[in-house]
Amino acid sequence: MKPTFALLPDFATSQTPLVFKDMIRTGFARDFHFVFDCLVVYIRSGAGTRIVGDSIEHFEAGDLTFVGPRVPHVWYSKPKPNDMDNPDVSVALYINPAKIVDHLKFFVDTQSLKYFFQQSTRGLSIIGTKKEVMTSLLQNMIHQKNVPLLASFI
């Protein structure tokens, strides 16, 4: 299966380093694709099969995954047509590595962040206390913009 490039409309004109997408659907299903950005995906409800790079795993509500830039990925679940009473819900934070480093370089040492982005050529499942902290931050960040959003990311 060959991945396709996906350009989200939010990024066509976006000059921000971080963009959120709150997705509510009757099923997770998209083409196997990649984006130029990193992303953090939090599954709020739903379950199915996740493919990130060459890894195929089960996913369920509460899962938190980091996907590096240009890494092909997709989340699949059984479609539930016309069932918006029990939708599949995810939150995705898209991170433009170059823009986030450029925005932060005046405030913090960005070397470790650059290194992390360079090394993130596969997906990471985030578990344990790190997952708890990150999901709490993500829930708060959804409603933030500009400087507060950047501050929460740091």
Side-chain angles (χ1 to χ4, degrees), residues 83-97:
D83 186 5
M84 285 310 287
D85 292 333
N86 300 300
D88 290 340
V89 181
S90 67
V91 175
L93 171 62
Y94 291 82
I95 305 164
N96 181 307

Side-chain angles (χ1 to χ4, degrees), residues 4-22:
T4 59
F5 170 68
L7 177 63
L8 300 174
D10 305 52
F11 292 115
T13 58
S14 176
Q15 294 302 311
T16 61
L18 305 169
V19 174
F20 269 99
K21 297 227 27 116
D22 203 2

Side-chain angles (χ1 to χ4, degrees), residues 66-148:
F66 179 89
V67 179
R70 296 176 181 83
V71 175
H73 57 275
V74 67
W75 277 253
Y76 288 113
S77 65
K78 287 186 178 180
K80 302 172 280 197
N82 305 316
D83 186 5
M84 285 310 287
D85 292 333
N86 300 300
D88 290 340
V89 181
S90 67
V91 175
L93 171 62
Y94 291 82
I95 305 164
N96 181 307
K99 288 180 185 174
I100 195 77
V101 166
D102 192 51
H103 278 70
L104 295 178
K105 69 183 176 189
F106 299 107
F107 306 105
V108 296
D109 180 6
T110 57
Q111 290 301 349
S112 59
L113 188 58
K114 284 188 213 176
Y115 181 75
F116 175 75
F117 289 141
Q118 289 168 352
Q119 297 302 310
S120 64
T121 57
R122 300 213 180 253
L124 304 168
S125 288
I126 303 163
I127 59 173
T129 56
K130 299 256 189 242
K131 178 178 125 179
E132 292 172 21
V133 170
M134 286 187 68
T135 55
S136 176
L137 283 171
L138 280 173
Q139 297 291 1
N140 292 327
M141 291 169 74
I142 291 170
H143 307 291
Q144 296 174 336
K145 301 251 186 253
N146 303 322
V147 173

